[in-house]
Amino acid sequence: MKIIKRTPNQLILQHRPIGIWLMGSILTIVGLVIIILFTRASSLTCQRISPSQGSCELTRSHFLISKTIIVSINDLKGAEVVMNHTRQIDGFFILKPYYRVILIIPTKRIPLTVYGTITHDQQEAIATKINAFLKKPVKTSLFIERDQRWLIYLVGGIFIVVGLLAELSKIITVTFDKILGTLTIEREGLLRTDVFEFPMEDIIGVKLKSASLFNTEKMGSHYQVALELKSDKELPLTKKSTLKANKEEIIHEITNFLCQPHFTTS
């Protein structure tokens, strides 16, 4: 919270949560990037008209883009699981191989999915299902789908929601006015602005409140400026933070302002 205006009759303090806004913007952008880059799905649909006729459609979806590859069943020779030469890092930062299913046709080898998994058995089960369909002409259809978009939407959505909530943090303006005899607290946000007024004559003091995070001294203390009222209640003026020096400066300014006599002009 910073001092915006200081005169003998008026003191205006304001808190603009620029750090929270910046963090919210970063989280929102990260959420969007996660959804755009990792929203992928693949499906393989095969239809057999006769033992020797039919086709398979491999459809890959990436965010809003979709691409379909059509292969004749006669050209599809089988499927196998391969381990990629590159490796991906898991949650414990240990390098591990990953596997994916490859469709085999005479001219090239087509990955069933863009991304693989670190579980070989899961990919082997998919390859076995495809090969079983190709070896049994009596089977007329096959459908395999790899779609984890719901998980990507969930993770990205959490980042976006948290980011938007942070961006909605309000600007807080505190005005002490001796001419009007009022204390005004204005909380201005994107959606609405709340204004609260209190008689300055109800203020009997200002204090620095401190509390330890999770009730432990090792986690550090958080400080908050609060006004003491005649009703034995306390009116918080600032949010809790570890910036003790800033809070002490605010208390010093408020105390000096309240102790100064009312200045009038003739």
Side-chain angles (χ1 to χ4, degrees), residues 35-44 58-68 111-115 143-150 152-153:
I35 291 176
I36 292 173
L37 294 184
F38 300 103
T39 303
R40 299 173 183 263
S42 299
S43 65
L44 178 67
L58 174 61
T59 302
R60 291 177 181 166
S61 300
H62 177 199
F63 194 45
L64 301 178
I65 302 173
S66 181
K67 181 180 179 181
T68 299
L112 178 63
T113 59
V114 177
Y115 297 113
F143 179 72
I144 294 175
E145 184 178 40
R146 296 286 296 166
D147 188 355
Q148 293 184 334
R149 287 177 292 184
W150 65 270
I152 301 301
Y153 284 133

Side-chain angles (χ1 to χ4, degrees), residues 1 15 208-213 216-225 238-248:
M1 183 167 279
H15 171 67
L208 179 66
K209 299 178 62 177
S210 65
S212 298
L213 190 62
T216 171
E217 294 291 339
K218 295 181 180 180
M219 299 300 293
S221 296
H222 283 62
Y223 303 93
Q224 183 181 39
V225 177
T238 65
K239 292 183 178 294
K240 294 180 180 179
S241 73
T242 57
L243 303 176
K244 183 179 181 180
N246 175 259
K247 300 297 188 294
E248 290 177 337

Side-chain angles (χ1 to χ4, degrees), residues 219-259:
M219 299 300 293
S221 296
H222 283 62
Y223 303 93
Q224 183 181 39
V225 177
L227 296 178
E228 297 174 300
L229 305 179
K230 290 181 180 179
S231 60
D232 291 333
K233 294 183 179 180
E234 294 180 349
L235 179 62
L237 290 186
T238 65
K239 292 183 178 294
K240 294 180 180 179
S241 73
T242 57
L243 303 176
K244 183 179 181 180
N246 175 259
K247 300 297 188 294
E248 290 177 337
E249 180 185 357
I250 292 172
I251 291 175
H252 176 72
E253 292 293 337
I254 294 175
T255 302
N256 285 345
F257 177 79
L258 295 177
C259 291

Side-chain angles (χ1 to χ4, degrees), residues 45-56 70-76 133-134 136-142:
T45 305
C46 296
Q47 294 291 336
R48 182 180 274 127
I49 302 174
S50 66
S52 59
Q53 289 185 335
S55 64
C56 293
I70 301 177
V71 180
S72 171
I73 286 183
N74 292 331
D75 291 336
L76 184 57
F133 171 78
L134 295 175
K136 295 182 179 180
V138 294
K139 290 188 175 182
T140 59
S141 63
L142 172 70

Side-chain angles (χ1 to χ4, degrees), residues 49-142:
I49 302 174
S50 66
S52 59
Q53 289 185 335
S55 64
C56 293
E57 291 186 2
L58 174 61
T59 302
R60 291 177 181 166
S61 300
H62 177 199
F63 194 45
L64 301 178
I65 302 173
S66 181
K67 181 180 179 181
T68 299
I69 301 173
I70 301 177
V71 180
S72 171
I73 286 183
N74 292 331
D75 291 336
L76 184 57
K77 303 305 180 182
E80 65 178 4
V81 178
V82 298
M83 182 185 74
N84 281 50
H85 295 295
T86 56
R87 295 169 181 262
Q88 62 186 9
I89 301 177
D90 69 359
F92 297 97
F93 297 97
I94 301 174
L95 293 175
K96 289 185 177 182
Y98 70 102
Y99 307 88
R100 60 179 177 175
V101 175
I102 301 295
L103 303 178
I104 303 171
I105 62 175
T107 57
K108 57 183 177 179
R109 299 156 69 87
I110 306 173
L112 178 63
T113 59
V114 177
Y115 297 113
T117 65
I118 60 174
T119 306
H120 178 274
D121 293 344
Q122 186 179 14
Q123 299 296 312
E124 186 64 40
I126 296 174
T128 300
K129 188 175 180 180
I130 296 173
N131 291 327
F133 171 78
L134 295 175
K135 291 177 181 178
K136 295 182 179 180
V138 294
K139 290 188 175 182
T140 59
S141 63
L142 172 70

